Amino acid sequence: MALTNYILYIIIGCGLATWLSRILPLVILKNMTLSKKVIEFLSFVPIAIMSSLWFESLFIQHIGHLPSIDWPNLIASIPTVITAILTKSLLLIVLIGVVSLSLINILS
């Protein structure tokens, strides 16, 4: 497959957009002091993103019908959520989630 200039420009543009969206806030906010309320509000962003990703993976979408439950993901979520509550260690949470979903897929 030949790499045309158009595809190359698209790849460079996407990379630049991703890079700028990560660097610009750092550069702009480097010399600013944010209020305590703004910092507290921003602390909930990772929780909201992770919750939405987790919730989205619990359902299987069917066009024109209600979504159905993805049972292996729901069952694997139980030990993962318990680990999250008990340890609050991201590495351990991810490890337990991957291992529990792998075991469920192997056993089924």
Side-chain angles (χ1 to χ4, degrees):
M1 181 162 90
L3 181 66
T4 64
N5 285 339
Y6 177 74
I7 295 174
L8 181 63
Y9 293 148
I10 293 293
I11 292 171
I12 292 171
C14 290
L16 186 63
T18 301
W19 183 75
L20 283 175
S21 69
R22 295 169 193 262
I23 297 299
L24 277 179
L26 178 68
V27 171
I28 292 170
L29 296 174
K30 183 171 69 171
N31 296 325
M32 295 176 63
T33 304
L34 299 174
S35 70
K36 190 172 182 174
K37 286 187 177 191
V38 171
I39 292 173
E40 183 180 345
F41 173 76
L42 290 175
S43 71
F44 290 108
V45 171
I47 296 169
I49 291 171
M50 290 304 293
S51 298
S52 66
L53 289 172
W54 173 63
F55 191 75
E56 186 266 336
S57 72
L58 292 180
F59 297 100
I60 301 169
Q61 181 181 2
H62 304 289
I63 305 298
H65 299 285
L66 291 173
S68 61
I69 296 174
D70 188 350
W71 288 104
N73 283 351
L74 180 64
I75 295 168
S77 295
I78 295 168
T80 306
V81 169
I82 292 170
T83 303
I85 292 169
L86 295 177
T87 66
K88 296 178 181 60
S89 166
L90 186 59
L91 178 64
L92 196 56
I93 294 167
V94 170
L95 185 65
I96 294 296
V98 169
V99 168
S100 60
L101 188 58
S102 298
L103 286 174
I104 289 168
N105 286 332
I106 288 171
L107 296 175
S108 62

